[in-house]
Amino acid sequence: MSVLLIAEHNNKEFKPFTLNAISAASQINEDVHVLVLGSNSDSVAKSISEVPNVKKVIHVNNSLYENYLAENYTSAIIKLAESYSHIVCSANTFGKNLMPRVAALLDVSQVSDITKVIAEDTFLRPIYAGNAIQTVKSNDKIKVLSIRTASFETSSENGNAELVKLDKDSENNLSKWIEDKVDTSDRPELTSAKVVVSGGRGVGSEENFKIIEKLAGKLGAAVGASRAAVDSGFAPNDWQVGQTGKVVAPDLYVAIGISGAIQHLAGMKDSKVIVAINKDEEAPIFQVADYGIVADLFEAVPELESKI
């Protein structure tokens, strides 16, 4: 049977990590179908139909899906579920909100944060903050999976998938969208950025975090933070990288004033190149760093930024 992937988008374009999720889904089964639920989202469905490894795009276009609500999405997914062996989604905020509800209504166990596909029913996933890798075999008739997209590469080939339009689903009265409050930024999105500059407790204050933002600006990078920095009020919650935050795997990750607790490492250790700046030469971050600078960040970072 086929694999159904739930696309995340903003009704204009799909999120870049959808490409990674599609790549993962194609390793489960070559017959990958993508479900696009949206409003005035024809451009999204069209662009996904041109993505490699996608065999069919199922497009439901209605104002019911103008704003993402897990309850409304779930209703549509459940109606299609019996035709598929796997239902997959990215393991981000979107997926963590949606997939447990889907699994519960299908009465199956969810397999979360997949980093490798062994077989159609067997997968690898990290546990204990990434310190161990668990092999999971699911015997459920329909397998509900979330994909750690940073672990899968995308394809540069072109696709030509079948595009099918379906009528709208019946409206769900469990919840109602009121409003979204979204911060706008010229910086890349954290989970898909090629370069990430993160600050930790060592930065010292919200005011001092400006040196992190300034370096990120020079590098065209997203800004991240450790949980310690977020809990201390130095940075907003959506900047948090780690086990309880966002998982990133950029080409370059710069960790500034971050000691390197295992919870933080779980969110960034798959980065291709890791640079650490910390005045404590015994900091655990240096054990995973490709390049380490033992220095006062308030001296090293401005000097580094001035030379870029």
Side-chain angles (χ1 to χ4, degrees):
M1 296 177 72
S2 306
V3 177
L4 181 66
L5 184 140
I6 316 305
E8 182 179 357
H9 60 90
N10 60 5
N11 289 311
K12 297 178 182 178
E13 57 187 9
F14 61 83
K15 300 294 185 180
F17 42 76
T18 300
L19 297 175
N20 305 75
I22 290 171
S23 178
S26 68
Q27 294 180 28
I28 299 171
N29 189 304
E30 293 183 354
D31 192 15
V32 177
H33 298 182
V34 178
L35 176 61
V36 177
L37 300 170
S39 176
N40 297 318
S41 52
D42 289 344
S43 60
V44 178
K46 178 68 166 57
S47 58
I48 290 182
S49 71
E50 297 170 354
V51 171
N53 300 319
V54 177
K55 296 297 188 291
K56 180 187 290 187
V57 176
I58 301 170
H59 185 206
V60 185
N61 196 49
N62 191 272
S63 59
L64 175 65
Y65 306 112
E66 181 176 1
N67 301 289
Y68 167 65
L69 285 175
E71 293 81 359
N72 287 347
Y73 265 53
T74 302
S75 178
I77 294 166
I78 295 299
K79 288 191 173 183
L80 295 170
E82 289 299 324
S83 300
Y84 294 92
S85 59
H86 299 72
I87 299 175
V88 303
C89 187
S90 303
N92 54 11
T93 305
F94 173 82
K96 289 176 181 178
N97 186 20
L98 175 65
M99 300 309 274
R101 178 178 290 273
V102 173
L105 291 174
L106 291 175
D107 195 25
V108 299
S109 297
Q110 178 185 343
V111 183
S112 306
D113 281 320
I114 290 171
T115 57
K116 188 174 182 179
V117 177
I118 304 298
E120 288 192 359
D121 61 353
T122 309
F123 314 94
L124 297 186
R125 62 184 299 269
I127 57 174
Y128 303 131
N131 286 300
I133 301 298
Q134 184 180 62
T135 302
V136 180
K137 182 175 181 179
S138 172
N139 293 322
D140 287 318
K141 179 182 176 182
I142 301 175
K143 297 165 182 59
V144 175
L145 317 171
S146 66
I147 305 294
R148 182 170 288 194
T149 54
S151 300
F152 295 89
E153 298 291 336
T154 62
S155 174
S156 58
E157 300 175 3
N158 293 323
N160 185 23
E162 176 188 3
L163 183 56
V164 177
K165 292 191 176 184
L166 297 183
D167 293 333
K168 75 165 186 173
D169 184 31
S170 57
E171 189 161 357
N172 193 309
N173 295 318
L174 293 176
S175 61
K176 180 180 179 181
W177 179 84
I178 303 298
E179 66 174 335
D180 282 336
K181 293 183 178 179
V182 181
D183 291 332
T184 57
S185 174
D186 294 332
R187 297 192 188 94
E189 187 173 356
L190 182 57
T191 53
S192 59
K194 298 295 184 183
V195 181
V196 175
V197 180
S198 285
R201 195 201 307 270
V203 177
S205 69
E206 182 179 4
E207 181 67 21
N208 289 342
F209 233 83
K210 290 180 180 178
I211 67 172
I212 306 295
E213 297 180 56
K214 192 173 181 181
L215 177 60
K218 275 288 188 74
L219 293 172
V223 177
S226 67
R227 178 172 179 173
V230 171
D231 288 348
S232 298
F234 303 166
N237 289 332
D238 59 345
W239 287 5
Q240 184 178 327
V241 173
Q243 182 182 17
T244 55
K246 295 179 178 178
V247 176
V248 300
D251 294 337
L252 173 63
Y253 187 88
V254 184
I256 301 172
I258 295 175
S259 64
I262 58 172
Q263 290 84 359
H264 184 75
L265 299 183
M268 47 65 71
K269 66 181 181 180
D270 290 331
S271 304
K272 293 180 175 61
V273 177
I274 300 172
V275 176
I277 302 174
N278 199 300
K279 65 181 180 181
D280 179 9
E281 62 182 18
E282 301 296 328
I285 191 70
F286 288 123
Q287 296 178 15
V288 299
D290 298 287
Y291 301 94
I293 302 174
V294 179
D296 186 330
L297 68 89
F298 297 106
E299 297 176 1
V301 175
E303 183 178 353
L304 176 63
E305 185 267 330
S306 68
K307 295 182 181 298
I308 296 175

